[in-house]
Amino acid sequence: MKMTRRLALAATLALPLAAPAMAQTQITIQHPLPLNSHYGAGATALKESFERASAGRYSVVIQRNDNEREAIESVQIGTIECVITSTGPVGNFVPETRNLDVPFLFRDTAHARGVLDSEIGQTMLGRFSARGLAGVVWMENGFRHLTNSRREVNTPADVRGLKVRTMENQVHMRAFSTLGALPTPMAFSELVPALQQGTVDGQENPIPVIVANNLNQVQRFLTLTGHVYSPAILICNPAMLARLSAADRAAFLEAAKAAAAANRARVTADEQSGVAELRRRGMTVVTQVDSAAFQQALAAAFTEYERTLDGALLRRIRAWQ
Ligand code: EAX
């Protein structure tokens, strides 16, 4: 009788009757782009892989936060578990990563991915722990290109006088000031309003970001400068990783590798289809760019990087085969 009443009560309140509900631990990953993007592809692959491997004991929640610096700080203090971010603001946390932000450092995508996957990139991931962060895996955005609302940029001289939003990254800012532009650093969250209001004339981002974020709506001209490779990185809270069992941690790292693979595959696909897509959306695209002329125009910045960054590391990266 008593039992029956309890069952009835449980049914009314929709309480679980059988074994106590499995406790599910939530892992939140923030990233600055729409889900339909190369970051979203990476985050989704991680979610699917880790939730499957942990048989549902973990749920991975993907959130958008287009202020990368704030998201990294949240990971540091542990209010969220992970972030996928460009290296834009990362040098302010882990200064060594600034070496990767040097313009024209990588010859092509294979060179960049190869270096990041090599001992050079892996050593740099290890540097994050001294800053209360765990660098888990390298991902990417692709090579950055210049867009603006004023004019077709064909030569370095055309960049002079343009107000260009850069990331909060002193290496990039130095490059644009050397070209005679007026670099204006701001978070990604401020970019579209700044372009709409004309606070800045232009910005620079890889094709996958321009496509995913519809920057064609606020920018008319695109020049395929490919002036710098833009790595991304999955950063997590070290205490969260330490709390995982050894088996779960191994599964999480596998999931992170799956995330990097999905992210890179999507970047490759977006770079193949993106220029045609942006033309279809109305952008004027300059594809013939004299890369040597841009590199020459940056000579003074290169001299400064050799001095202020790790010159030996830069040479090792350039020589990497
Ligand atoms: O990480 O801020 C930027 O321009 C980044 O490239 C973008 O947020 C993707």
Side-chain angles (χ1 to χ4, degrees), residues 32-33 39 68 85-86 141 144 165 167 188 204-206 209 230:
L33 296 174
Y39 282 178
E68 296 186 323
T85 174
S86 74
N141 286 294
R144 301 180 83 87
R165 175 270 177 175
M167 298 195 285
F188 196 60
E204 43 89 57
N205 251 302
V209 177
S230 187

Side-chain angles (χ1 to χ4, degrees), residues 112-136:
R113 291 176 182 176
V115 167
L116 294 175
D117 292 344
S118 79
E119 174 266 325
I120 297 175
Q122 301 312 299
T123 302
M124 215 173 277
L125 290 181
R127 303 265 185 252
F128 284 69
S129 60
R131 312 287 158 162
L133 294 166
V136 178

Side-chain angles (χ1 to χ4, degrees), residues 68-69 72 85-103 144 164-177 183-188 204 227-231 304-305 309:
E68 296 186 323
R69 181 180 51 76
I72 298 167
T85 174
S86 74
T87 50
V90 172
N92 302 325
F93 296 84
V94 184
E96 289 89 338
T97 63
R98 289 190 179 125
N99 290 288
L100 302 174
D101 298 322
V102 168
R144 301 180 83 87
V164 178
R165 175 270 177 175
T166 67
M167 298 195 285
E168 296 167 297
N169 183 294
Q170 59 189 51
V171 177
H172 291 183
M173 288 173 67
R174 182 73 178 112
F176 279 92
S177 61
T184 310
M186 62 181 80
F188 196 60
E204 43 89 57
H227 53 273
V228 68
Y229 175 76
S230 187
E304 186 179 306
Y305 300 144
L309 299 173

Side-chain angles (χ1 to χ4, degrees), residues 58-213:
Y58 287 88
S59 95
V60 176
V61 176
I62 303 169
Q63 291 175 351
R64 185 171 180 185
N65 177 355
D66 52 6
N67 188 317
E68 296 186 323
R69 181 180 51 76
E70 276 178 17
I72 298 167
E73 285 167 358
S74 300
V75 171
Q76 218 168 22
I77 59 178
T79 49
I80 60 164
E81 284 70 38
C82 301
V83 59
I84 300 173
T85 174
S86 74
T87 50
V90 172
N92 302 325
F93 296 84
V94 184
E96 289 89 338
T97 63
R98 289 190 179 125
N99 290 288
L100 302 174
D101 298 322
V102 168
F104 299 106
L105 177 65
F106 296 105
R107 295 180 295 275
D108 51 28
T109 301
H111 182 202
R113 291 176 182 176
V115 167
L116 294 175
D117 292 344
S118 79
E119 174 266 325
I120 297 175
Q122 301 312 299
T123 302
M124 215 173 277
L125 290 181
R127 303 265 185 252
F128 284 69
S129 60
R131 312 287 158 162
L133 294 166
V136 178
V137 77
W138 289 110
M139 298 170 74
E140 71 176 12
N141 286 294
F143 281 85
R144 301 180 83 87
H145 306 292
L146 183 66
T147 71
N148 84 98
S149 56
R150 297 239 166 234
R151 55 180 172 256
E152 226 178 81
V153 168
N154 289 291
T155 67
D158 298 331
V159 180
R160 262 185 232 140
L162 284 180
K163 277 185 270 172
V164 178
R165 175 270 177 175
T166 67
M167 298 195 285
E168 296 167 297
N169 183 294
Q170 59 189 51
V171 177
H172 291 183
M173 288 173 67
R174 182 73 178 112
F176 279 92
S177 61
T178 303
L179 292 176
L182 305 163
T184 310
M186 62 181 80
F188 196 60
S189 49
E190 297 170 51
L191 172 60
V192 169
L195 290 169
Q196 271 164 345
Q197 289 155 18
T199 319
V200 292
D201 305 312
Q203 65 88 45
E204 43 89 57
N205 251 302
I207 298 289
V209 177
I210 299 172
V211 170
N213 245 51

